[in-house]
Amino acid sequence: MADTATTASAAAASAANASTDAPPFQLGKPRFQQTSFFGRFRHFLDIIDPRTLFVTERRLREAVQLLEDYKCGTLRPGVTNEQLWSAQKIKQAILHPDTNEKIFMPFRMSGYIPFGTPIVVGLLLPNQTLASTVFWQWLNQSHNACVNYANRNATKVGLNVLVQKANKFTPATRLLVQRFVPFPAVASANICNVVLMRYGELEEGIDVLDGDGNLVGSSKIAARHVGHLGAQGAGGEALALLETALTRVVLPMPILVLPPIVMSMLEKTALLQARPRLLLPVQSLVCLAAFGLALPLAISLFPQMSEIETSQLEPEIARATSGRTVVYNKGL
């Protein structure tokens, strides 16, 4: 019955969209193809769009109701595909896909750049004290932990001491190297962060869905899967752990590596040498630009919804569905 209602809604939406360029709406499906990196990139640009932070409670309810009407086949005449895609974008940006609970604004993916940029600026401040180093690392990992948990399905200090003791470096080289110190600290801490924040998924399993979006069951094997069909047994688990670790090393790379390179060049310009007070605002803008570029590129590497063959899952999961594959939300 639900399928018939959805088909009727799709037909109504198609009739209202005869002259628009928006693709036909598909409930619960991405607007852009997820088989290509560019399609995932465009999809995640919608997910991290900071404009969704300003959506009112009333607008969110309207978006959710519009999608519910589409699902039930009671969509009012004249609703366009663009309106449906916009409603789904709002829902996906604000509500968790598994629980449908509202994600706290600073921990949404759409809030990651505006709320995370000040922390990145703090991490990259030159000539930090021990106290400031510990504070910014603590704040960064606390924010990351909250983002990881909200979207769920090794310290800098020791490196700074080594850099300070590297007498063979010139002062300029030592300063440049010191600016790169946050990267290995953040990368290594990120690995521990994800494991700690999402360890419960490995213990309890995650929900897997059939092709129609119906819950099939909860699978521990899917929780260990990272999107590689055919990775089985101990070797597959090791591969999953390695890929997760490598991903968490790569993610902060553009954010914490590019700004020091850019700033080392900008600081030599006559403008900043004559006006040193502009250093912090300029560094903030550089970090914001790097963050805004790096985040959608990084999270576009893999689709958010992953697929796995039922033959690789627990026997009770395989028996519960006639489909060859199931899908699950691997989180962001």
Side-chain angles (χ1 to χ4, degrees):
M1 187 59 128
D3 290 341
T4 303
T6 302
T7 302
S9 292
S14 298
N17 278 278
S19 60
T20 66
D21 296 329
F25 179 73
Q26 298 182 71
L27 184 64
K29 304 291 185 181
R31 178 172 182 169
F32 307 102
Q33 288 292 330
Q34 298 297 284
T35 54
S36 68
F37 175 82
F38 184 64
R40 294 193 295 270
F41 180 73
R42 296 179 69 185
H43 168 69
F44 284 114
L45 281 179
D46 276 351
I47 296 295
I48 68 170
D49 187 349
R51 292 176 297 179
T52 58
L53 296 172
F54 303 100
V55 171
T56 64
E57 189 71 31
R58 178 181 177 181
R59 180 70 184 95
L60 174 61
R61 289 197 302 268
E62 291 175 349
V64 173
Q65 186 59 53
L66 187 64
L67 296 176
E68 188 64 26
D69 291 345
Y70 177 89
K71 182 179 180 180
C72 296
T74 57
L75 199 63
R76 66 180 184 274
V79 175
T80 64
N81 281 325
E82 188 62 44
Q83 289 175 304
L84 290 168
W85 285 122
S86 178
Q88 184 157 275
K89 171 182 175 178
I90 290 173
K91 181 181 178 181
Q92 290 179 340
I94 299 176
L95 304 181
H96 191 280
D98 296 332
T99 64
N100 278 326
E101 294 179 355
K102 198 172 181 180
I103 300 175
F104 187 44
M105 188 181 293
F107 308 146
R108 299 174 194 167
M109 294 308 297
S110 57
Y112 199 47
I113 293 175
F115 287 98
T117 297
I119 300 175
V120 173
V121 174
L123 284 168
L124 295 175
L125 290 174
N127 303 319
Q128 294 199 51
T129 64
L130 173 62
S132 65
T133 295
V134 172
F135 169 75
W136 287 113
Q137 288 288 347
W138 168 81
L139 187 60
N140 178 56
Q141 289 307 317
S142 297
H143 182 239
N144 285 341
C146 292
V147 171
N148 285 333
Y149 183 77
N151 295 278
R152 61 192 180 278
N153 219 10
T155 68
K156 178 183 172 183
V157 179
L159 293 176
N160 260 342
V161 172
L162 292 177
V163 173
Q164 294 293 348
K165 290 183 178 181
N167 296 324
K168 294 183 179 180
F169 290 161
T170 65
T173 303
R174 185 183 293 114
L175 178 61
L176 181 60
V177 173
Q178 195 171 15
R179 286 180 169 179
F180 287 99
V181 165
F183 170 66
V186 170
S188 57
N190 276 351
I191 299 172
C192 300
N193 196 317
V194 172
V195 173
L196 290 173
M197 288 300 103
R198 302 182 66 169
Y199 181 74
E201 297 178 15
L202 297 175
E203 289 292 300
E204 301 174 8
I206 56 176
D207 290 344
V208 293
L209 313 173
D210 62 20
D212 297 323
N214 300 314
L215 177 64
V216 176
S218 183
S219 171
K220 294 182 181 180
I221 296 178
R224 297 195 297 262
H225 197 265
V226 191
H228 270 270
L229 294 179
Q232 302 180 45
E237 294 173 24
L239 178 61
L241 181 59
L242 176 61
E243 289 179 347
T244 303
L246 289 176
T247 300
R248 293 303 171 177
V249 169
V250 171
L251 286 181
M253 194 176 290
I255 303 170
L256 297 179
V257 172
L258 290 181
I261 296 175
V262 175
M263 288 305 299
S264 66
M265 295 185 292
L266 292 180
E267 287 173 356
K268 298 176 183 178
T269 62
L271 176 63
L272 291 184
Q273 287 184 349
R275 298 175 176 82
R277 291 184 178 180
L278 293 177
L279 280 173
L280 184 58
V282 170
Q283 179 167 324
S284 300
L285 290 176
V286 171
C287 290
L288 178 62
F291 210 163
L293 174 66
L295 181 61
L297 289 174
I299 61 179
S300 300
L301 291 176
F302 302 102
Q304 182 177 357
M305 299 302 294
S306 294
E307 187 178 61
I308 185 172
E309 293 181 357
T310 54
S311 61
Q312 298 180 30
L313 299 179
E314 294 86 344
E316 59 271 21
I317 299 291
R319 291 193 298 267
T321 178
S322 59
R324 188 179 66 86
T325 62
V326 291
V327 297
Y328 61 93
N329 173 32
K330 73 175 180 61
L332 293 173

